[in-house]
Amino acid sequence: MSVYVTVGSTGFDKLVQTVSGKDFLQALSSQGFRRLVVQYGASASEFEPPTTRSDTYGMSIESFNYTSRPSQLIEQADLIISHAGTGSILEALHSGTPVIVVVNHELMNDHQSEIAHELASSGYVAVAEPATLVDAIARSTYTGLLPYPAADPRPIGEIIDEETLQVFS
């Protein structure tokens, strides 16, 4: 089983530090995960995973700063751990893969908290902080999440027309 971690187009030092730690790797391994793929963005200097097989708990670890194929990595994952950027969250949710959203409270007045907690209260994602991520993995908080509703494929103009007709009917 595979885990994909993404910090998006910026960096998220605390998340990257957490996912390269032995405690995190042990928690993943104990849940049956064997592959970890980390997109660390501008936090490259913070990604320092253990180098021995025993310290990685048998996990295969791949990492890079950015990728031109995030959709492919998302589709291959059995669990996605994402920063709380709206675009990253929605892309992960549309894949149907369980998502743990990790909020970066240091960004622009903590704007990520609201979307993360709203989606969590609706049952679509699990939310963690870098300091609670290992526990979230160990407690399998990502199981039992609801599937995110599919988007309405109709053009927005049709939807507005339909709604307008209902108002004036």
Side-chain angles (χ1 to χ4, degrees):
M1 291 196 323
S2 176
V3 177
Y4 175 54
V5 177
T6 179
V7 302
S9 60
T10 60
F12 190 170
D13 291 353
K14 289 179 182 176
L15 176 57
V16 171
Q17 290 165 355
T18 298
V19 302
S20 61
K22 286 173 58 175
D23 291 342
F24 178 77
L25 297 171
Q26 182 179 25
L28 288 181
S29 179
S30 71
Q31 296 296 318
F33 293 101
R34 296 292 173 254
R35 180 175 178 236
L36 173 63
V37 180
V38 179
Q39 181 267 317
Y40 50 69
S43 295
S45 63
E46 304 302 321
F47 189 71
E48 297 179 0
T51 55
T52 65
R53 184 162 173 79
S54 63
D55 286 345
T56 62
Y57 297 90
M59 298 287 298
S60 164
I61 302 172
E62 302 166 40
S63 62
F64 47 86
N65 57 353
Y66 302 102
T67 181
S68 60
R69 56 186 184 98
S71 297
Q72 180 182 356
L73 294 167
I74 287 169
E75 292 301 322
Q76 293 172 351
D78 298 292
L79 173 64
I80 299 166
I81 298 172
S82 176
H83 73 116
T86 305
S88 295
I89 294 171
L90 290 175
E91 187 171 16
L93 284 171
H94 287 294
S95 74
T97 302
V99 181
I100 298 176
V101 174
V102 183
V103 178
N104 187 347
H105 294 289
E106 297 173 6
L107 290 181
M108 296 183 263
N109 299 320
D110 197 22
H111 74 283
Q112 294 183 343
S113 287
E114 188 174 352
I115 185 80
H117 290 289
E118 181 63 31
L119 289 167
S121 70
S122 298
Y124 300 127
V125 302
V127 175
E129 314 261 332
T132 63
L133 183 57
V134 170
D135 186 56
I137 297 292
R139 291 185 300 112
S140 302
T141 61
Y142 52 89
T143 59
L145 296 171
L146 299 173
Y148 192 70
D152 189 339
R154 297 179 296 160
I156 189 68
E158 285 181 39
I159 295 169
I160 292 171
D161 288 346
E162 183 179 296
E163 294 298 318
T164 303
L165 286 173
Q166 288 179 3
V167 169
F168 294 109
S169 297

